[in-house]
Amino acid sequence: MKKYIVIVISLILCFALGLWLYTYCTTPDNDLSQESLGDVSVNQPFKEIGNDFEIDPKIQLEGKSFYHAKDSKGLVIRKDNKHDRITAIVLFKDNHVYTSRDITIGSAKQEVIDAYGDTYKKSILPKQQTQFHYKDKEDHVGMKFIFKGDKVTRIELFEE
């Protein structure tokens, strides 16, 4: 009986490892090492941009703080409190903030593909939205563009 349990557990672990390896190998790789939203980038020390942002008391998560830009309510950052660095940036509503490759809210899908390439993972989201997920495996950075129709409605840059 013990022998069968060990075999079943081993098969489950092999299957899980194979599934993870398949997902990792089939996700396209992109260079996002120099990527930013406005003047903010992932892993940047918070003290470099702290004066331009104010804490958002509505969002609370243990070990993290969320801030929105003083001059743009559509730009939100997540800070790791322990290391005092930025771990995620989200842009919505504000079309005056651009990625480092000149994409903003309202940009067309084709503009995103021209700037970032066609090596993304596409997902279908609720409310007739689609998502392009670009991933930099070497630097552990991800970037998502959410579209409603043909236009960008949200941009996320985050550590993975």
Side-chain angles (χ1 to χ4, degrees):
M1 183 68 169
K2 204 183 233 186
K3 180 179 170 183
Y4 295 114
I5 292 174
V6 171
I7 290 172
V8 169
I9 290 173
S10 297
L11 287 173
I12 291 171
L13 288 175
C14 286
F15 178 75
L17 179 63
L19 185 62
W20 175 83
L21 190 59
Y22 172 78
T23 302
Y24 183 82
C25 291
T26 58
T27 301
D29 195 20
N30 299 278
D31 182 11
L32 300 173
S33 60
Q34 301 300 313
E35 195 57 48
S36 65
L37 272 169
D39 296 329
V40 184
S41 59
V42 173
N43 290 319
Q44 180 178 2
F46 181 74
K47 63 184 175 189
E48 292 179 6
I49 56 104
N51 293 335
D52 299 332
F53 288 80
E54 56 191 10
I55 196 157
D56 191 336
K58 297 178 207 167
I59 309 171
Q60 295 181 1
L61 185 63
E62 188 174 331
K64 312 283 186 210
S65 296
F66 293 83
Y67 294 80
H68 60 264
K70 291 178 182 177
D71 60 345
S72 169
K73 299 299 181 196
L75 182 63
V76 177
I77 63 168
R78 180 180 70 202
K79 178 186 87 159
D80 179 346
N81 294 334
K82 183 176 180 181
H83 298 102
D84 199 40
R85 63 184 177 81
I86 298 166
T87 58
I89 311 157
V90 177
L91 176 66
F92 57 96
K93 293 183 185 176
D94 192 339
N95 63 353
H96 295 91
V97 178
Y98 289 82
T99 70
S100 60
R101 300 182 199 181
D102 294 327
I103 301 296
T104 190
I105 302 302
S107 294
K109 277 185 187 178
Q110 192 57 49
E111 291 177 89
V112 173
I113 293 169
D114 292 344
Y116 290 92
D118 59 0
T119 55
Y120 54 84
K121 202 170 207 177
K122 182 178 177 180
S123 302
I124 305 299
L125 303 175
K127 298 182 182 179
Q128 299 174 342
Q129 297 181 93
T130 55
Q131 170 181 284
F132 290 178
H133 182 180
Y134 292 90
K135 191 173 198 175
D136 184 337
K137 294 178 188 173
E138 185 176 327
D139 295 305
H140 306 287
V141 175
M143 190 164 202
K144 293 181 181 179
F145 295 92
I146 289 84
F147 301 92
K148 177 91 175 193
D150 184 51
K151 301 294 182 188
V152 174
T153 59
R154 181 179 172 121
I155 303 171
E156 301 176 8
L157 180 63
F158 50 92
E159 70 177 11
E160 291 198 293

